[in-house]
Amino acid sequence: MKKEVLMTIPSYFREPMNILSFRFGKGEKSCAIVGALRGDEIQQLYVCARLVSFLRDVEKDNGLQPGKTVTVIPTAIGASMNTGTRLWAPENMDLNRRFPGDPSGSTTERIANALLEKVRSYQYGIQLTSFYQPGSFIPHVRMMNTGHQNPDLGLEFGLPYVYVREPRTADQSTLNYNWQLAGTQAYSLYAGKTTEIDENAADQTLRAIIRFLNSRGIIRSEFTPGQYSSIITNHDLTTVSASSAGLFRRVKLAGAHVRKGEQLAFIINPLDGSIREVLKTPVTGMLFFVQDGPFITEHNVVFNILAAKK
Amino acid sequence: MSITKEVSIIASAALPICEQWAIRRCRLQSDSAGPRLCITSGIHGNELIGQRIIFMISHCIQTHPEYFSGTLDLYPMLNPLGLDLNERMVPSHTWLDMNRAFPGQKDGTPLETMCFQILNDLSGADLVLDIHASTTEKNELYEVRMNHARHDDLIPKAASLCPDIIWVYPDRPSFDSSLTGALSRLGTDAFILEADERSMNPDGISKRIFTGILTKMHEMGMWSDSGITLTVVEDIPVIYSGKNIERITCENPGIFIPESRIGSVINMGDSLGYIISALEGIILENVLSPCNGLVFTQRSYSAVYPGTLLARIRKEAV
């Protein structure tokens, strides 16, 4: 293992922020894994830390395949993680909205540029990312439809689904989008929680990455077989949104099979306990995403349902 | 001539406890037909200059309805939740920038739905002006900003707003997902009015933009009194991202002590300020101008990191 400083951001009265990468093996740049880009992405950091530990053992056991290199960057925003701020506080900016970055730009643009330059020449890229609202997903790997994506390779993670999503305008400044444009087969994995450690989800994410690295011939290690995986798109998912606000009480959890018309959740008046809305599924299928925050705002996406095929 | 005034909610989402997250619009409608002008502000909840300017416009028209024709839609605060917290972003699970969430989605998240409804209400106007107040540590001249795709058509229309400078932004995702960028893509003329309310005289800059907007309304046939409008200058400096702008960033962390240069034409080698270390009692960096030109942005006294923007200069043609 070789520990490298990818970039250093000096600070006036704090210690310099070093962005560290951990490189395993020698030769072609096979796979890069990027963890936390936000200061609250603790779970993403944790999965990377465990992956570095795992790869260290693999390397000791001569499990890195000759001519292959794996690099892990656990976090690019350690200074914000230390102060518990999601954004890069001096600019109040989201690092994952600053790609492709600019080497002579603002601090976040410089970080984004340095990170992308480091990982752009890798054949495969995996970003561990968080979701913009609290909730639970069926395990899946996702990528944006940039015209450069390769969903078939995503099947090798062995997660139940490979989700190809249409990018929105704002997505064009994310790492994943720009990584794909740079020619890397880039994938995003949601590692369950964000601000806290979820051991089961971390294990599952780690297993998926190890499976992919073995499948691509980058490492040779013991790994558990994956699941049968299907490719889905936005068109396969039906959204159930809230038309009222209040306290949220789920009846069904992610992964549940539901029949058309079945009750999914209640939105409750937070003052008197009366029911404001009963959310029901408009289709038969499986709950792909379930919101799990205590409060619901009107228009919140509460469920995504993967419709059953006839 | 008379006007009608109608306040309505044009976008809303219910919050959990007895409250609507609501965007309010005040429509001033003349009984004589004319164009429709929309003025928005407060998309960043900590930028307040638009409150004052919109108040001045509204008050002026209600005091002198005889000079007004057409429809004026005023949206003083697009991010009311951010206002309460003196916060740029929209308070939510992940603190998102509303001006990076357009065009939104009809059946999207609460923020996406709000953006969709706002855009829907604004689109089709003859002109939309979105007032901003720079960020906390930056001083700016009064700028009109627009997107590059339609700049040949838009530059002549911006002159009557009487800014110090016109800035043509590049077409890139960060601008496309702004309110102005999304409107431009729909074919609605839209400008960002950027002015610094913090270090410059807020009364002076508010009056300046107020009279600029009245001058624009006069040109559009919405305001017939030429007594308080400005003389339109035809050769307002135009700057293009990536062409005639010099961005000066710092390389050392420390405290920036600016030399007051905003609005001045300076020469290459002139000082823009210093970066100091109080701990060691030394000057870390003497920030010098790399070119001749007009300083239209300058950072105020504040802590800086490598990459922090210290100044923008409109480079003089060599």
Side-chain angles (χ1 to χ4, degrees):
Chain A
M1 180 186 83
K2 186 154 191 233
K3 185 164 83 171
E4 297 166 319
V5 178
L6 191 155
M7 186 186 204
T8 298
I9 303 289
S11 170
Y12 182 40
F13 265 107
R14 291 176 62 181
E15 298 296 305
M17 182 182 84
N18 287 321
I19 302 174
L20 297 175
S21 67
F22 297 86
R23 183 160 57 85
F24 300 89
K26 289 179 182 171
E28 71 176 44
K29 294 179 175 178
S30 305
C31 187
I33 298 102
V34 177
L37 295 185
R38 278 88 173 228
D40 62 353
E41 292 181 342
I42 313 296
Q43 171 84 341
Q44 290 69 22
L45 178 78
Y46 177 62
V47 171
C48 279
R50 286 189 52 192
L51 181 62
V52 170
S53 175
F54 170 81
L55 289 171
R56 206 162 41 217
D57 290 342
V58 170
E59 195 170 47
K60 275 185 201 158
D61 296 341
N62 296 316
L64 256 295
Q65 296 293 64
K68 307 283 184 184
T69 303
V70 181
T71 289
V72 184
I73 301 166
T75 175
I77 194 162
S80 292
M81 301 195 93
N82 285 335
T83 52
T85 49
R86 179 174 170 85
L87 307 181
W88 176 255
E91 292 177 18
N92 203 21
M93 283 287 174
D94 183 350
L95 181 56
N96 202 28
R97 290 289 182 277
R98 304 298 275 172
F99 289 90
D102 179 348
S104 56
S106 67
T107 313
T108 47
E109 287 174 320
R110 291 179 184 207
I111 296 171
N113 172 264
L115 182 58
L116 188 59
E117 286 303 309
K118 175 75 179 179
V119 300
R120 67 184 303 147
S121 48
Y122 280 78
Q123 193 175 2
Y124 309 112
I126 302 169
Q127 184 189 0
L128 302 171
T129 188
S130 59
F131 198 49
Y132 60 84
Q133 63 179 15
S136 308
F137 280 104
I138 285 296
H140 69 283
V141 55
R142 68 167 63 190
M143 70 205 69
M144 282 181 254
N145 181 7
T146 59
H148 301 264
Q149 76 281 4
N150 187 341
D152 288 339
L153 279 184
L155 300 173
E156 296 182 18
F157 284 93
L159 295 173
Y161 296 98
V162 176
Y163 177 24
V164 183
R165 188 170 69 80
E166 290 302 318
R168 293 163 295 189
T169 309
D171 292 322
Q172 293 173 21
S173 48
T174 61
L175 170 61
N176 189 286
Y177 186 91
N178 286 279
W179 211 353
Q180 277 197 37
L181 291 193
T184 298
Q185 292 300 328
Y187 302 93
S188 292
L189 289 180
Y190 286 94
K193 299 288 183 189
T194 299
T195 58
E196 59 190 275
I197 289 172
D198 177 338
E199 291 287 357
N200 289 337
D203 284 344
Q204 186 173 58
T205 307
L206 201 55
R207 285 197 300 269
I209 296 171
I210 293 167
R211 201 176 290 130
F212 182 81
L213 293 175
N214 274 283
S215 174
R216 288 285 90 206
I218 299 166
I219 64 171
R220 191 179 62 247
S221 71
E222 292 178 340
F223 66 97
T224 51
Q227 299 180 49
Y228 174 77
S229 194
S230 304
I231 297 169
I232 60 171
T233 70
N234 300 55
H235 305 296
D236 298 310
L237 295 173
T238 300
T239 295
V240 176
S241 298
S243 56
S244 61
L247 285 167
F248 182 56
R249 211 180 94 209
R250 285 175 298 175
V251 176
K252 299 287 184 180
L253 304 178
H257 180 79
V258 291
R259 286 179 300 168
K260 184 178 177 180
E262 201 171 341
Q263 291 182 352
L264 301 177
F266 299 95
I267 297 175
I268 297 168
N269 183 319
L271 302 182
D272 66 15
S274 61
I275 293 174
R276 284 181 168 161
E277 187 176 359
V278 179
L279 295 169
K280 296 179 179 176
T281 174
V283 294
T284 295
M286 186 196 60
L287 297 184
F288 188 76
F289 167 76
V290 178
Q291 159 89 243
D292 65 6
F295 276 147
I296 288 289
T297 297
E298 184 185 3
H299 307 306
N300 263 146
V301 174
V302 187
F303 297 98
N304 282 140
I305 303 159
L306 181 61
K309 297 214 187 300
K310 288 183 181 172
Chain B
M1 259 185 255
S2 64
I3 57 169
T4 55
K5 181 168 80 172
E6 181 192 7
V7 174
S8 55
I9 291 173
I10 57 97
S12 72
L15 294 171
I17 303 174
C18 310
E19 185 185 354
Q20 288 283 324
W21 172 12
I23 310 297
R24 290 177 169 80
R25 179 193 73 192
C26 179
R27 169 165 287 180
L28 298 176
Q29 178 102 50
S30 166
D31 58 10
S32 60
R36 178 181 173 224
L37 170 66
C38 300
I39 306 176
T40 61
S41 80
I43 202 165
H44 295 134
N46 61 347
E47 298 180 8
L48 298 185
I49 195 168
Q51 305 303 305
R52 194 169 177 144
I53 294 165
I54 288 176
F55 162 76
M56 291 165 81
I57 295 276
S58 179
H59 187 72
C60 176
I61 288 172
Q62 291 182 74
T63 309
H64 297 288
E66 67 275 17
Y67 298 135
F68 175 62
S69 302
T71 304
L72 180 64
D73 284 336
L74 303 169
Y75 310 72
M77 184 47 68
L78 295 184
N79 181 5
L81 302 181
L83 171 69
D84 243 19
L85 303 176
N86 192 27
E87 168 59 50
R88 176 183 177 88
M89 306 291 193
V90 175
S92 63
H93 177 63
T94 47
W95 297 83
L96 297 168
D97 186 340
M98 189 177 211
N99 213 25
R100 296 288 180 275
F102 286 93
Q105 275 185 277
K106 188 180 179 197
D107 298 315
T109 63
L111 178 59
E112 288 169 341
T113 308
M114 299 288 272
C115 288
F116 178 83
Q117 292 174 0
I118 291 166
L119 196 66
N120 201 36
D121 203 69
L122 291 167
S123 65
D126 293 281
L127 179 64
V128 178
L129 305 175
D130 185 29
I131 301 173
H132 286 250
S134 189
T135 54
T136 315
E137 298 95 358
K138 270 193 295 198
N139 304 328
E140 304 265 4
L141 293 183
Y142 166 31
E143 301 155 9
V144 169
R145 302 180 182 179
M146 64 185 66
N147 78 327
H148 188 269
R150 298 179 53 228
H151 71 284
D152 286 339
D153 180 38
L154 290 175
I155 287 174
K157 295 178 180 176
S160 54
L161 287 160
C162 309
D164 294 313
I165 210 158
I166 294 171
W167 185 347
V168 179
Y169 263 39
D171 298 315
R172 60 181 188 184
S174 58
F175 191 74
D176 287 349
S177 54
S178 70
L179 173 59
T180 308
L183 283 164
S184 295
R185 278 205 312 284
L186 292 174
T188 299
D189 288 353
F191 297 124
I192 293 170
L193 306 188
E194 186 86 43
D196 165 31
E197 64 185 341
R198 296 176 185 88
S199 69
M200 292 173 69
N201 171 6
D203 190 47
I205 190 63
S206 300
K207 281 182 180 161
R208 173 90 190 280
I209 298 175
F210 160 69
T211 49
I213 292 172
L214 277 188
T215 307
K216 181 74 204 171
M217 290 173 65
H218 187 260
E219 182 191 72
M220 293 171 73
M222 296 180 72
W223 184 252
S224 60
D225 177 24
S226 57
I228 55 173
T229 55
L230 300 169
T231 303
V232 177
V233 178
E234 296 299 332
D235 57 347
I236 296 168
V238 180
I239 54 176
Y240 296 86
S241 293
K243 286 187 179 169
N244 59 346
I245 298 179
E246 188 70 43
R247 293 175 83 254
I248 294 105
T249 54
C250 67
E251 298 306 322
N252 291 283
I255 295 295
F256 179 57
I257 300 178
E259 298 263 7
S260 182
R261 300 291 196 186
I262 187 80
S264 306
V265 174
I266 64 171
N267 296 316
M268 186 166 71
D270 285 349
S271 175
L272 289 159
Y274 302 87
I275 296 169
I276 59 154
S277 164
L279 183 66
E280 297 186 50
I282 57 171
I283 293 173
L284 298 169
E285 197 175 327
N286 183 6
V287 184
L288 305 177
S289 173
C291 61
N292 300 343
L294 171 67
V295 180
F296 65 95
T297 304
Q298 190 174 22
R299 193 171 183 88
S300 56
Y301 176 63
S302 54
V304 293
Y305 276 78
T308 300
L309 179 72
L310 300 178
R312 296 188 190 105
I313 297 174
R314 178 188 181 248
K315 289 190 282 190
E316 282 184 357
V318 179

